[in-house]
Amino acid sequence: MTNHDEVHDLIHRSWETPDGPARIAAVEQVLAQAEALGDPDLLYAAHAAATSGYHQSGEPMKAMMTFARCVADYDADPGRRSQHDEHLLLWQFKHMVSSMTLFPQLQLERTMAVLDDMQRRYQAGGHSMQAVYAYRHDVAAHLGDEEQADHWYRLWDSAPRDALSDCAGCDPSSKAYHLAWRGRDEDAIGLAQDALSGRLTCSEQPHGILTTLLYPYLRTGRLDEARDAHRRAYRMLDDNKAELGRVATHVSFCGATGNAQRGLELIERHLPWLAQAPTPKTEMEFAASAAMVLRLLAEAGQGDLPVRRATGETTVAALGRELRERAVALSLRFDERNGNSYQSTRIADLLDAEPLVAYLPLSVTAARAATVAPVPAVTEPPAELPDVPADLPLDGLLDLVDDLFHAEEQAKGRALTERLLAEHSAGPLTDVQRGRLARLRAVALPDEELQATADAFAEAVDAFARAEDSAREHAARLQWQIAVLQLTGDGELVPAVYEAAEVAVAANTDPRQRRAALVRAAWVAAASGDLDRASSLLDRAEAEPGALPPARHASLLHLRAGVLQAQERLDEAAQRIRAAAALLRGTGHRDQLAHLLRALADLLGRLGDNSGAIAAFEEAAAVAQDPELRRSARANAGFMLVTTERAGEFIDDIVEHVCLMEAEGSPGAAAYTRHRLALALGTTGRFTEAAEVGEEALSWFLAQRDPEHADMVVELRDLLSRTYAQLGEAHVAIGQLDALLELVSGVERLAYRGDVLERAGELLWQVDRDGEAADRFDAAAAAYGQADLALATVHARRRQVMALFHAGRKDDAVALSGQLAELMAVTGVPAEQQPGFAWERAMAGYEAAQVLSNNDEPDHDAALTRIAPSAALFRSIGAFEEAALAELRHGQVLVVSGRNAEGQAQLRRALDALPADHGARRDAAAWLARALDEQGETRQARELRAEHDLPEPE
């Protein structure tokens, strides 16, 4: 059976457990084990811990039951209870009053009786009535009794605060709520801002007070503050169903700011909480807020949008109707209990509320999306027709078109083509002329008009065949075969293309036409995966006599690079792309050059040449004429720079890319880009925006429920944990790390798992959850050990020692400190890790001295043994300040163990080594003076204290 000390420790741990399911599990374990032991004091402590745990974690009805046990036990023998027990009982009266109004089945008379009992006990104990007035106000506000609420507010606001008053965050938050309810938004904001500017340590803050301010900010036009309050507060509500009421406010805020789609995301996320709502009141608030948002979506024509929930998929319109009925029914139950119509009137107003602002962007991408549309395709200005002799016959004009295209005068060639097709659509023509015009028409058609292109080439083939023009017939037949292949996608047609190419080459004596046929066949071979054939065809094309114009030569090199890349000959592919780009620099073929540079960037990225890839993307953006090509090149450069000092240069480009992906209906691409954007924002210190964008991306990936996205979910949770840590929101960061731990398992990820556990331990340490921190460090050390990471294992164990010590588990800390010393004695690390290992050994000794000396039974001899080598180890790695601090601690232990002469020498060395402005110098001087006093050197001790402005001992 579990013994008394173990249950006592479990009770202590339950108070440290974060609110939510874990805390409920902890207090229920405590209750069961305390009941089993039957110790009345343990049982009282267990019921008190359970009352708090249930209340804070969304089970207020259970809290009422355990509180009733506490009251009965306390009243049965008040003398048995400590002052702390009395204080906690009086504090928890507030929980009971605030909860009882939230259940319509509990009559008001019972609530008022508990309030009266609370007031009697407060008065009997000589406590301020401030908290009593606050909770009398809450009851009046719930009833909608404005006169009584104002009366109790005045008394509450004027009464002196004491130890039973709500905390420095919750009390102003409640007052701000009253002021906003009474139409005094400016006063509410002013009162709350004073509280926000201070240090808030309560688990309900700052998200509680920020949620209270959402509507005052909106109604007073402080839209930036409203957005920031929503961002900051909502993130902290996402893991505890007790916060369902506040979540409801954030849902309605989305509706009030034109963000109904965002509201739908929140509704889907929290529907499971609604199924187990903490109270009927919070159930009503969430149902009404959600119904309002769903109504707005339905009115905007989105009533058929699917909504996922545990019981199966429904629609926006259907769920809106269901939740509206639910909210109304609950409001009527409250009216019946309260004897008025205040709650039903208020809920009706919420259900039919309209937005207070047309649209308030809630993220950096949302702000930009309203102004961004997909980039339209580039339309070139009509080219001037070339100078054409008036008497030039049609055959001469057709020859001129061929010459213009070969000379890469594309715009003029297209202009003359357009004219010839318009002028000679009918009338007497030779078969050759018909064939040439049909071929021009095929080339001029848009890429997507595959059937018309194939028909035009077929017409050309027939015309050339009638004219017995073999060279042109077979060249056109090859183009027709390729057009049919593109139209049908039938791979069985590929051999016919190769055969047509060979016939065209054999039938033609013009090197230009032969080369064109070979390149077309090579393109088909490359696209079909026949790389050897593609290479052979390109070799033959390059062997044809005659120089190629720059753009055609660059295209051939680009195709060759594609074949080499598919063969994993990346260096050779990059050489061909570089050669092609060199041909086009300084020409008018700027977009073709930009495409080549983007291809080069992709290749260099695969080769690990990130700086070269970035340079290629940036050059592509600089030369491109097509706005979309220019934009995407800059965005790609930005993607590669998101974790560098240049990240800020590209944030706008990445934001625009997100918005365009959304506008084009590519939410997946937008989500991936949001990940890169969050990295860039974090790199530039814009952590609030990084968190918002990262959450948007994570929400999309989680909604897909696709195992293929698992790695991205891991990356995003890792990013968010670091971002929230930077924002000082340790509890949220810990939540992300806990979720991350569920995703990282397997031997190959042991090192990363250890890192995640260690980071969680450090965050828990920061917020004084030292017992939990010790558990995380323990698990981290185990993971590191399994991964054979000796230095990381030692570090995690050292951190575990101090976490145990500060959690009050000093015996465990002493034992583990000894085990750590044994571990370090047999640990070997590579040469490059020796400085880090020396640091760990020195710090372990330094901390062991503290652990061993600050116990009920201090072991000064062991402490001195452990601290002795620390200063020398620190100096061996150049950590001279730390060495001086180690000497200070060494001297302190010597003095308290009665070895004053040795302590004097150590402390003198420490004092001399510490910089003149170091804060520890006064401490070192005080200890040195003590050592001198103990040896009868009082004059020197007084002089030292005077020199360092230290008081004389009493």
Side-chain angles (χ1 to χ4, degrees), residues 457-510:
F457 278 130
E459 182 182 339
V461 170
D462 291 343
F464 290 138
R466 289 194 302 271
E468 299 182 354
D469 188 336
S470 177
R472 287 192 172 105
E473 175 194 348
H474 292 297
R477 189 177 297 280
L478 171 59
Q479 291 176 291
W480 171 74
Q481 288 280 13
I482 294 172
V484 172
L485 175 61
Q486 290 177 304
L487 175 65
T488 63
D490 184 356
E492 293 185 2
L493 298 177
V494 171
V497 172
Y498 300 148
E499 181 181 350
E502 294 299 338
V503 172
V505 170
N508 214 311
T509 58
D510 183 347

Side-chain angles (χ1 to χ4, degrees), residues 4 37 39 103 133 135 189 214 217 230 268 297 336 390 429 439 484 489 607 633 642 679 720 731 742 762:
H4 180 283
L37 282 179
D39 183 298
F103 291 87
Y133 296 150
Y135 285 85
I189 292 168
L214 289 176
Y217 279 149
H230 169 67
E268 278 193 325
L297 285 168
E336 182 180 2
L429 296 169
R439 203 172 173 189
V484 172
L607 287 166
V642 292
L679 285 169
L720 287 167
H731 297 292
E742 298 177 9
E762 294 295 350

